[in-house]
Amino acid sequence: MMDLQDLYQELILDHNKRPRNRRKLEQADGQCDGYNPLCGDRVTVFVKVNGDVVEDVSFEGSGCAISTASASLMTECIKGMSVSEAKAMFERFHEMVTGESGAASQGGSLGKLEVFSGVSRYPARVKCATLVWHTLRGALADDANPVTTE
Ligand code: ZN
C-alpha cells in the first residue's frame, strides 16, 4: 500500500489549513457549484471578468485537503490571467493529474500547481484535484447547472 504522505506535501497542507481567496465574491460576473460525489467535496467558484481578464476569483465550500488546497491554489494561479490562459492552464493541469500528456501540455510550466503531480498515482484523488477547475469553467460560462465529476 502506498503512503499518502507524499501526496500531502507541505504546500497542500498549508493551503488546506489557510485557504486563499475563500470568500463569496460580491457582484461576481459568473458563479458555478461543483460536487464530487466520490469524496463529498463541494465547491462554489465565483469569477469577476473585466474584458478578457479574470480580475478576481474566489471560492466557497468544503471538502478534503486535496480539493480545498486545489481550489486555493487555482484562485492564486489564475487571478490576472486572460480567460483563454486560464482555460489552457486547466488543460495542462488536467493532463498532469490524469497522467495523460497531450498537445496542450507543451504550453509551459504549471508553477506551484505541480505540487499536485503526485495525484496522478491516486486515481480516486484526481477528481478531488480537478473539481474546482471543472467548476471554474462553469463559472466562466456563468453556468446555472451544477458541475459534478461523475
Ligand atoms: Zn476529495
Side-chain angles (χ1 to χ4, degrees):
M1 188 167 163
M2 290 184 89
D3 194 344
L4 277 170
Q5 207 54 44
D6 61 343
L7 184 59
Y8 293 84
Q9 292 183 36
E10 209 170 316
L11 192 63
I12 293 178
L13 289 171
D14 178 52
H15 277 263
N16 177 52
K17 210 166 144 188
R18 295 184 300 120
R20 322 299 197 267
N21 304 305
R22 182 148 86 176
R23 61 194 151 83
K24 191 174 191 293
L25 204 61
E26 300 301 333
Q27 296 167 325
D29 294 307
Q31 72 178 71
C32 188
D33 297 321
Y35 177 48
N36 172 18
L38 203 68
C39 177
D41 308 315
R42 287 183 185 278
V43 69
T44 302
V45 173
F46 304 90
V47 288
K48 193 161 174 52
V49 179
N50 187 355
D52 187 42
V53 174
V54 182
E55 204 171 67
D56 206 356
V57 53
S58 69
F59 76 101
E60 280 190 323
S62 60
C64 66
I66 296 288
S67 68
T68 302
S70 183
S72 174
L73 278 156
M74 181 279 284
T75 59
E76 271 200 334
C77 170
I78 69 147
K79 200 165 167 175
M81 277 187 176
S82 72
V83 170
S84 56
E85 281 170 338
K87 285 178 178 169
M89 193 59 104
F90 171 50
E91 294 298 325
R92 293 207 295 278
F93 183 79
H94 194 263
E95 283 170 7
M96 178 183 72
V97 296
T98 55
E100 295 165 13
S101 51
S105 61
Q106 291 160 9
S109 162
L110 279 160
K112 275 186 190 175
L113 297 176
E114 284 173 10
V115 74
F116 291 102
S117 62
V119 170
S120 64
R121 298 199 303 275
Y122 306 90
R125 290 291 181 190
V126 169
K127 287 173 179 173
C128 300
T130 56
L131 172 68
V132 75
W133 289 89
H134 287 290
T135 312
L136 167 70
R137 201 159 57 176
L140 288 170
D142 199 16
D143 197 340
N145 300 311
V147 170
T148 82
T149 54
E150 291 303 299

